[in-house]
Amino acid sequence: MIIGIDLGTTNSLVSAWTDEGIKLIKNSLGEYLTPSVVSIESNGETFVGQIAKERLITHPETTFQEFKRNMGSDVTYKAFGRTYTATDLSAIVLRELKQDAERELGQEVTEAVISVPAYFSDSQRAATRNAGLIAGLKVNRLVNEPSAAALYYHVSHINEDEKYIVFDFGGGTLDVTLVDAFENIIEIQGISGDNHLGGADFNEAIAIDICSKNDLIWPALTDYQRALIYHHAEIIKIRLSTESELEYKFRFSRNKEDLFAKEIVYRIDLQHLVDISADIYEKIKCVMIRLFNDAGMTKEDIDDVAGIILVGGSSKMPAVKLFLRSMYGGKLLVDENPDEIVCKGVGVAAGIQQRSGNVKDLILTDICPFTLGVGIVNDVMSPIIHKNEILPCSRTETYQTIKDMQDEIIFSVYQGEYHTASRNKLLDKISLKVEPLPAGEATVDVTFSYDINGIFEIEFDSKYMDESVVKDIAQSSGLSEADLAARRNRLAELKSKSKENRNKLSLLMEKADRLFAESNMEQRIILGNAMEEYQRALRNANADAIEASKQNLENIIEIIERSIYGLPDPEI
């Protein structure tokens, strides 16, 4: 069985293509969305998803989110003396999704199709593939997120030949893609994006605005205080999806033991959100303009586009929709659940890989989202594969020596759009020995080959070399078999809490503990008593007492949440 995984910045989902069609798979809490959050305990126990998200406030030093933004980088995360990369944390999330799929499908899962942002670099794609391998999954294909969305839309919504734009605005990335769908072919014609722009930026804009209105300095806050404000900023952003203005209250303290917290009252409306997010909208505009420019589209071409498909949770924001309508007059195509579209698309892609049912003959083409080339004299970028070339592709350029009796050529391989080579991302340096001859006489043919999975191979061939050289750039960014085995063993040492009932009990207690940290003294007494009563019932294993104390704790949590967050409800 091949599963499809949307490994998101904020949330992740898993799907499969079955005899009945696409099937979204629920996690152990009965939800489709699993927050991409990992929390690690001192004994090696890991929490993934909603439980981990609740621990962002109570255990901020050892709970991690939005690590997808650092895939393929040197950024590390530390917990109890051990160091983790974004790849390691992503592998923990993938393991959880794999276990969810195996539980619901009733069979072992060993293969997956995983979505990645269209603008992910070669090293970021390699890191994603490595995360899958560490989690015990053979990654059959990496599919660009907007391509996956286009695939699902073509299968389920679009019955005729159309050209449209996929606007994929997630928690941490923005991808905008031009798609031409006809017959059984979905052709990607242009890609633009920003790997560091998403809904999380709105959270941060609101958090900083809360600080500015309450004489707080965001960089000077403790981990606990930042996590607390960020948590409430996200709630405010979500509420502004259904409310035009609101007054929001919460308690702010030095740490979770502080009983003398002050109450923060924050007022915001949609216009103010637009005002404090002006730089975000400017970045969105730049991404859209770059797409049209790269595709060589005139105003008439843009007018011919059937519409914009909105994908990703952040695209649900009314302010984002208003901005798109003001910039582009075409219709917005909104699915009932934009959070799920990419996952449904990778599920369809998994069905194509399995040669299943009525999707087996679908063809999804993709393009290279960036230019690949080498640096030449005067620090100039010499492109070999150009941005937006249809994949797979292979291109050859010939280079020559520039000095008399030169016996070595160093090829610096770059990815990027700058004319100045060193401003682009350096992927590798390859040194080749050549026959020493007068300048310009020794030449080398350099062939770049790039496929739909981001496998990048370079071949150097010359009669002035002893033998041809082939270099797999993707593999150089990957892990050796020994490294993979070591990382898998390390992951196995981290114990996952995956049993359904245990997860639900843990979620309730983590939510109560997070709320306890925000409560005043009177609320803490009531909430603490309810928590102790619930834990006592669990220890005694009395089913009736467990259900009664659980219901009591849930009611108290709801009342305190409404009181703290400024919602109308009787006070305690």
Side-chain angles (χ1 to χ4, degrees):
M1 170 64 74
I2 305 174
I3 57 174
I5 295 176
D6 175 13
L7 184 62
T9 305
T10 306
N11 296 296
S12 294
L13 302 90
V14 59
S15 62
W17 186 270
T18 67
D19 293 339
E20 290 75 38
I22 193 69
K23 176 182 176 66
L24 286 177
I25 292 169
K26 293 181 179 179
N27 59 28
S28 59
L29 296 174
E31 303 290 339
Y32 293 129
L33 293 176
T34 296
S36 301
V37 186
V38 174
S39 186
I40 301 173
E41 285 276 33
S42 58
N43 63 357
E45 193 166 41
T46 60
F47 299 88
V48 177
Q50 189 61 42
I51 299 172
K53 189 174 181 179
E54 293 292 344
R55 291 167 63 90
L56 280 167
I57 293 176
T58 57
H59 301 77
E61 297 86 2
T62 57
T63 304
F64 312 106
Q65 64 176 338
E66 297 174 12
F67 37 83
K68 179 179 174 178
R69 287 184 161 191
N70 294 316
M71 288 291 274
S73 75
D74 296 328
V75 174
T76 58
Y77 306 81
K78 297 184 185 299
F80 301 107
R82 303 190 75 171
T83 300
Y84 303 88
T85 65
T87 300
D88 296 324
L89 297 176
S90 296
I92 295 173
V93 174
L94 289 172
R95 178 180 67 177
E96 190 79 7
L97 298 174
K98 177 178 182 289
Q99 291 171 349
D100 289 338
E102 289 174 334
R103 183 188 64 254
E104 187 151 335
L105 297 172
Q107 59 181 288
E108 184 182 11
V109 172
T110 58
E111 300 177 63
V113 175
I114 301 178
S115 64
V116 292
Y119 245 53
F120 251 23
S121 67
D122 192 68
S123 60
Q124 289 170 311
R125 291 168 189 267
T128 303
R129 183 181 295 278
N130 288 337
L133 292 171
I134 294 168
L137 290 166
K138 176 187 175 185
V139 182
N140 279 357
R141 181 173 177 181
L142 297 176
V143 177
N144 289 336
E145 290 167 1
S147 302
L151 185 60
Y152 168 69
Y153 248 87
H154 186 67
V155 169
S156 61
H157 290 73
I158 297 171
N159 298 315
E160 56 187 43
D161 298 351
E162 283 187 342
K163 182 174 287 190
Y164 48 91
I165 291 168
V166 178
F167 183 86
D168 184 1
F169 198 26
T173 58
L174 170 64
D175 284 321
V176 185
T177 301
L178 180 65
V179 181
D180 191 10
F182 54 95
E183 297 178 351
N184 67 330
I185 298 173
I186 300 94
E187 183 178 280
I188 308 302
Q189 296 190 329
I191 293 175
S192 182
D194 189 328
N195 283 342
H196 295 278
L197 182 64
D201 294 279
F202 288 100
N203 299 347
E204 187 169 331
I206 294 171
I208 292 172
D209 192 52
I210 290 172
C211 289
S212 68
K213 290 184 176 180
N214 289 275
D215 299 323
L216 300 171
I217 302 173
W218 177 254
L221 300 179
T222 65
D223 288 343
Y224 167 78
Q225 290 172 326
R226 278 197 296 270
L228 180 63
I229 292 178
Y230 194 90
H231 168 77
H232 291 293
E234 184 178 20
I235 293 173
I236 291 166
K237 180 194 72 176
I238 293 171
R239 285 183 57 183
L240 283 173
S241 293
T242 56
E243 302 174 45
S244 59
E245 60 180 324
L246 62 90
E247 178 179 281
Y248 188 87
K249 301 176 183 177
F250 67 96
R251 301 184 67 79
F252 179 76
S253 56
R254 292 188 299 272
N255 53 60
K256 61 184 178 182
E257 287 81 24
D258 185 9
L259 295 177
F260 301 99
K262 73 171 185 177
E263 183 178 69
I264 285 182
V265 180
Y266 180 67
R267 297 177 181 85
I268 187 172
D269 56 26
L270 282 178
Q271 183 56 54
H272 186 61
L273 176 60
V274 171
D275 293 341
I276 64 176
S277 308
D279 61 328
I280 300 175
Y281 293 111
E282 187 60 33
K283 290 178 181 178
I284 294 174
K285 183 178 179 180
C286 288
V287 169
M288 296 289 287
I289 291 173
R290 191 163 63 240
L291 174 72
F292 298 145
N293 184 62
D294 289 347
M297 297 178 71
T298 64
K299 185 180 184 303
E300 290 72 24
D301 294 330
I302 296 172
D303 291 339
D304 288 339
V305 173
I308 299 180
I309 298 173
L310 298 183
V311 180
S314 300
S315 69
K316 293 187 289 189
M317 296 176 61
V320 172
K321 293 178 184 177
L322 286 171
F323 176 78
L324 288 175
R325 285 195 178 98
S326 69
M327 183 179 175
Y328 173 78
K331 62 180 178 179
L332 302 184
L333 307 174
V334 186
D335 190 74
E336 61 275 9
N337 289 305
D339 289 309
E340 300 172 357
I341 295 175
V342 169
C343 188
K344 290 176 179 177
V346 286
V348 174
I352 295 173
Q353 292 284 316
Q354 293 175 163
R355 307 291 296 163
S356 299
N358 60 352
V359 299
K360 65 181 180 182
D361 295 324
L362 281 175
I363 298 172
L364 173 64
T365 73
D366 227 323
I367 61 177
C368 188
F370 32 66
T371 297
L372 297 167
V374 297
I376 58 174
V377 67
N378 296 326
D379 196 22
V380 171
M381 171 78 157
S382 173
I384 297 179
I385 292 179
H386 290 266
K387 179 181 179 180
N388 288 344
E389 288 208 47
I390 295 175
L391 300 179
C393 69
S394 185
R395 300 286 183 269
T396 302
E397 294 289 344
T398 301
Y399 298 91
Q400 62 189 32
T401 55
I402 58 173
K403 296 178 182 178
D404 289 337
M405 309 310 290
Q406 181 178 338
D407 64 354
E408 181 185 40
I409 301 178
I410 298 176
F411 285 95
S412 297
V413 182
Y414 290 100
Q415 165 195 301
E417 312 310 317
Y418 290 109
H419 178 70
T420 303
S422 58
R423 294 189 66 189
N424 295 308
K425 181 179 177 62
L426 178 65
L427 298 180
D428 208 343
K429 279 191 175 184
I430 299 103
S431 176
L432 302 174
K433 292 294 184 181
V434 294
E435 184 180 344
L437 295 170
E441 289 192 14
T443 60
V444 178
D445 293 332
V446 181
T447 301
F448 279 17
S449 300
Y450 198 83
D451 77 359
I452 56 175
N453 286 314
I455 303 300
F456 180 20
E457 184 181 88
I458 305 177
E459 181 178 2
F460 302 92
D461 187 38
S462 172
K463 64 181 181 180
Y464 304 104
M465 294 166 49
D466 290 338
E467 59 182 359
S468 296
V469 174
V470 177
K471 185 69 180 289
D472 189 337
I473 301 298
Q475 187 61 39
S476 69
S477 302
L479 298 172
S480 67
E481 284 301 319
D483 288 336
L484 280 172
R487 300 280 274 275
R488 285 195 191 108
N489 290 336
R490 187 182 181 196
L491 180 63
E493 293 173 5
L494 294 172
K495 296 164 283 186
S496 172
K497 276 196 170 184
S498 58
K499 291 185 179 179
E500 182 175 356
N501 289 337
R502 195 174 184 186
N503 264 353
K504 289 180 178 177
L505 300 180
S506 297
L507 176 60
L508 184 60
M509 287 303 296
E510 291 296 341
K511 189 173 185 178
D513 199 29
R514 185 261 301 164
L515 194 61
F516 186 89
E518 301 179 50
S519 299
N520 60 31
M521 189 178 299
E522 184 180 0
Q523 291 166 335
R524 286 188 178 191
I525 292 172
I526 297 171
L527 182 56
N529 288 338
M531 292 170 69
E532 290 171 13
E533 179 186 346
Y534 182 47
Q535 289 174 316
R536 191 161 48 248
L538 289 174
R539 286 195 299 270
N540 294 334
N542 184 310
D544 291 339
I546 289 173
E547 183 58 33
S549 59
K550 173 176 171 288
Q551 189 65 52
N552 180 53
L553 180 56
E554 287 174 340
N555 290 339
I556 289 174
I557 286 174
E558 181 180 356
I559 292 171
I560 293 178
E561 278 187 327
R562 289 186 174 278
S563 175
I564 290 176
Y565 301 159
L567 298 173
D569 204 58
E571 294 187 1
I572 295 177

